[in-house]
Amino acid sequence: MGVMMAIQYSENKSGDDFVDVLKMASVPAPKASPGLAIVKVVAAASNPIDYKVLGGHLKAAGWAMPLPFTVGYDFSGTICEVDEADAPEWPVGKEVFGVQWGRGKHDEGDMPVGGAFAEYVAVPVSRLSAKPAGISHEAAAACALVGTTARQIVNDCAEVKKGDRVLILGGPTSVGMISVQLALRNGAEVITTASPRNTDFVNTLADGISIINYRAEKWWESAVAKDVDSVIDTTGEEGGWEHAQKILKAKGNFVSINSFDVGFDPKGHAPRKFASFYALSNDPGAQDEIAAALASGGIKMPLVEPAYPFSEQGAKDMLSAQARGSHTGKLVMKIG
């Protein structure tokens, strides 16, 4: 295992042809060390953050941008090498999944960043979760980042509880679809936005979802969205924070994972309990919870099929589709 194949880029690029910088490269394979396991990747998933990082858009926010950079944060596979001190809990052959991510941004100290679009990935054992037998590697990879994000914004940021009225902007998005289901599981009344094209898809997720057709009416003017306890923004639409204040209760929460307009201080808009941009923090406990819910059927997360192939063109097609955002379901890549 001296070398491996990986999808990398050596320069940041944005615009319609941003995927041109993606290359299949032969690179040194990682090695295990204390606290660091090597996972043979079976499946990986893409997220909007992949093309945003590729474009260099997060460097100004203090995110590390090591180049060349191996694409991908979500992975699922099998441990193939581990330090003997970590082997009792994470033995060779154990099926695992996770998100190669830090706390509030993708980098964390000297830990590895990204790297999922490769034959092997070096992962801190503190980021690993055991893959439930009841879900595929594709589903496990798909749920890590978006599931953790949804779990944190619904339960920790907005603290959605029974009896709350919650508006989730972007029900068909990957984070949105899980957020809708988690809020319903918490006993909230859930309202979401979707186009007519995606209304049927949202209705397949769960019963009892109120859907605002954002092409026909402005959600902040909709009677169904008045006096909500929380607005959870997964789309980052222009003016979202400004409009949300028209329908939120005085102490209501606003969480956005795609817009900086609200700022970065959760307590900075008193008397609101939480109003801020939010980026996930790595949390294997949240991964475990979401994966268990998928395995039991308590949460649905449709995948776009077929999976993309592990090739240079496959990666380009996958990130192009991610950037267009016209799909419903999670995009995954079959690697091993």
Side-chain angles (χ1 to χ4, degrees), residues 72 110 134 152 166 174 191 199 214 230 255 262 268 281-282 316 326:
D110 59 357
Q152 291 174 352
V166 181
S174 294
I191 308 149
T199 295
Y214 66 82
S230 295
V255 189
V262 65
S281 289
N282 193 284
K316 289 179 177 179
S326 57

Side-chain angles (χ1 to χ4, degrees), residues 11 25 63 82 88 91 124 154 161 187 209 212 228 238 254 267 276 278 289 296 305 315 328:
E11 62 179 295
W63 292 37
V82 67
V154 171
K161 62 186 182 302
I209 305 169
I212 298 172
V228 294
E238 185 176 354
F254 180 85
K267 304 300 182 185
S276 178
Y278 184 80
E289 181 180 326
S296 69
E305 295 181 339
T328 50

Side-chain angles (χ1 to χ4, degrees), residues 22 24-25 43 61 74 89-90 103 108 114 116 125 129-130 138 172 193 197 200 220 222-223 225 241 251 255 287 301:
L22 295 174
M24 178 70 84
D74 289 326
E89 185 176 2
W90 304 104
R103 301 194 62 79
E108 183 178 10
V125 295
S129 286
E138 289 81 1
T193 57
R197 181 176 66 88
D200 288 344
W220 61 91
S222 174
W241 164 233
K251 295 183 179 180
V255 189
Q287 293 172 177
M301 191 183 60

Side-chain angles (χ1 to χ4, degrees), residues 46-54 145-146 174-175 234 258 322-323 330:
S46 67
N47 298 280
I49 194 65
D50 290 308
Y51 63 81
K52 294 177 182 178
V53 170
L54 189 157
L145 187 149
V146 297
S174 294
V175 174
T234 74
N258 270 317
Q322 188 73 68
K330 196 78 169 81

Side-chain angles (χ1 to χ4, degrees), residues 18-208:
F18 75 96
V19 297
D20 289 353
V21 298
L22 295 174
K23 305 295 180 184
M24 178 70 84
S26 177
V27 300
K31 297 181 179 180
S33 59
L36 198 68
I38 307 304
V39 176
K40 179 175 173 53
V41 182
V42 175
S46 67
N47 298 280
I49 194 65
D50 290 308
Y51 63 81
K52 294 177 182 178
V53 170
L54 189 157
H57 304 303
L58 280 302
K59 291 190 289 186
W63 292 37
M65 188 66 261
L67 295 172
F69 186 83
T70 300
V71 183
Y73 301 100
D74 289 326
F75 65 89
S76 184
T78 304
I79 293 177
C80 64
E81 185 181 332
V82 67
D83 186 81
E84 61 180 0
D86 301 311
E89 185 176 2
W90 304 104
V92 169
K94 189 177 184 70
E95 293 187 325
V96 295
F97 76 101
V99 54
Q100 188 77 302
W101 191 272
R103 301 194 62 79
K105 58 178 182 173
H106 76 167
D107 56 292
E108 183 178 10
D110 59 357
M111 293 186 182
V113 181
F117 285 21
E119 293 180 289
Y120 301 93
V121 61
V123 186
V125 295
S126 60
R127 295 178 177 174
L128 292 173
S129 286
K131 184 186 80 67
I135 63 173
S136 66
H137 282 289
E138 289 81 1
C143 80
L145 187 149
V146 297
T148 299
T149 300
R151 166 65 172 74
Q152 291 174 352
I153 60 178
V154 171
N155 289 5
D156 301 334
C157 300
E159 297 183 345
V160 175
K161 62 186 182 302
K162 184 177 181 179
D164 280 0
R165 301 186 70 245
V166 181
L167 171 63
I168 297 173
L169 304 179
T173 68
S174 294
V175 174
M177 72 171 84
I178 299 179
S179 296
V180 163
Q181 295 173 81
L182 291 178
L184 285 169
R185 283 162 64 95
N186 289 358
E189 177 188 345
V190 177
I191 308 149
T192 193
T193 57
S195 68
R197 181 176 66 88
N198 290 325
T199 295
D200 288 344
F201 172 79
V202 173
N203 280 326
T204 67
L205 299 174
D207 296 328

